[in-house]
Amino acid sequence: MQSLDQIKLYAAKNSIPIMRDGGVEFICNYIKEHNIKRILEIGTAIGFSAIEFAGVAPDVHVTTIELDIDRHIKAKQNIHDSGMEDRITAILGDALMLDLKEQFELIFIDAAKGQYINFFEKYTPNLAPGGVFISDNLSFHGMVEDLTLTHNYSTIKLVRKIRKYIEYLENKNDFITNFYAYGDGISVSFKKV
């Protein structure tokens, strides 16, 4: 059986971004406290967070989407090795092109940072009543708060897109969003009733 530590080690060795411990812990606690059963994850990477989320309780089901075929294959292997195949549905594809009909109590956005607004808007109809969007990497290694931490042009562009997403959440009148410093910066967005 593949351990989460082995998956973390593989991610570190292969420069694959996975959730930081504080962020994973925060979301797992949220799943437990709010008795969440159906989760959509946009951005599987190699399956680390999906396995963590599904492991919260035996009746939690995670549907996870990944665009990169190599990461998808590795995620499927990790999901299999962790014995979670019956609780995690891994989909290979572009999340912006898929047409999912199900409703989810938690929609977790952790994919292409420049597409966060598009993911949010596309999957709002899939949010179950009382459900939440949780977004990761809103601090982006501290660069969102302090752009002087990088001089890389493409990273600066990316950070600006994350800032735009934060502004979008802050001004979205039909949702209430709370921001947390756990992991790499997390937001929880509730639809107003």
Side-chain angles (χ1 to χ4, degrees), residues 154-188:
S154 60
T155 304
I156 290 168
K157 271 176 48 178
L158 187 61
V159 168
R160 286 194 178 125
K161 286 178 181 174
I162 295 169
R163 284 179 172 175
K164 189 176 170 190
Y165 178 65
I166 291 168
E167 200 176 295
Y168 164 84
L169 293 177
E170 288 171 337
N171 295 306
K172 194 147 176 49
N173 294 329
D174 51 340
F175 278 81
I176 296 167
T177 299
N178 296 311
F179 297 91
Y180 301 92
Y182 298 104
D184 193 27
I186 285 179
S187 65
V188 180

Side-chain angles (χ1 to χ4, degrees), residues 94-176:
D94 182 340
L96 292 173
M97 305 306 286
L98 293 172
D99 188 23
L100 300 182
K101 302 288 182 225
E102 304 98 298
Q103 296 263 292
F104 302 93
E105 296 147 305
L106 192 162
I107 299 176
F108 178 51
I109 302 176
D110 190 19
K113 310 305 166 222
Q115 296 295 334
Y116 272 27
I117 293 173
N118 294 330
F119 293 140
F120 196 105
E121 291 185 346
K122 176 169 177 53
Y123 287 98
T124 295
N126 297 90
L127 192 64
V132 294
F133 277 96
I134 295 184
S135 307
D136 193 24
N137 302 118
L138 298 189
S139 174
F140 205 68
H141 317 290
M143 290 178 229
V144 170
E145 298 82 12
D146 183 3
L147 206 47
T148 63
L149 293 174
T150 182
H151 299 290
N152 179 300
Y153 178 69
S154 60
T155 304
I156 290 168
K157 271 176 48 178
L158 187 61
V159 168
R160 286 194 178 125
K161 286 178 181 174
I162 295 169
R163 284 179 172 175
K164 189 176 170 190
Y165 178 65
I166 291 168
E167 200 176 295
Y168 164 84
L169 293 177
E170 288 171 337
N171 295 306
K172 194 147 176 49
N173 294 329
D174 51 340
F175 278 81
I176 296 167

Side-chain angles (χ1 to χ4, degrees), residues 35-61:
N35 200 26
I36 287 169
K37 304 297 175 207
R38 291 162 298 146
I39 299 166
L40 173 64
E41 176 183 55
I42 302 166
T44 312
I46 55 172
F48 174 73
S49 44
I51 293 166
E52 284 271 33
F53 301 160
V56 169
D59 53 353
V60 172
H61 188 273

Side-chain angles (χ1 to χ4, degrees), residues 54-96:
V56 169
D59 53 353
V60 172
H61 188 273
V62 180
T63 299
T64 184
I65 306 166
E66 178 57 50
L67 181 60
D68 183 282
I69 188 157
D70 295 326
R71 288 183 181 182
H72 171 76
I73 290 166
K74 186 65 181 168
K76 293 273 284 186
Q77 185 63 54
N78 288 336
I79 291 162
H80 170 79
D81 292 348
S82 66
M84 294 279 188
E85 281 173 306
D86 57 334
R87 304 206 348 245
I88 301 173
T89 303
I91 300 169
L92 174 65
D94 182 340
L96 292 173

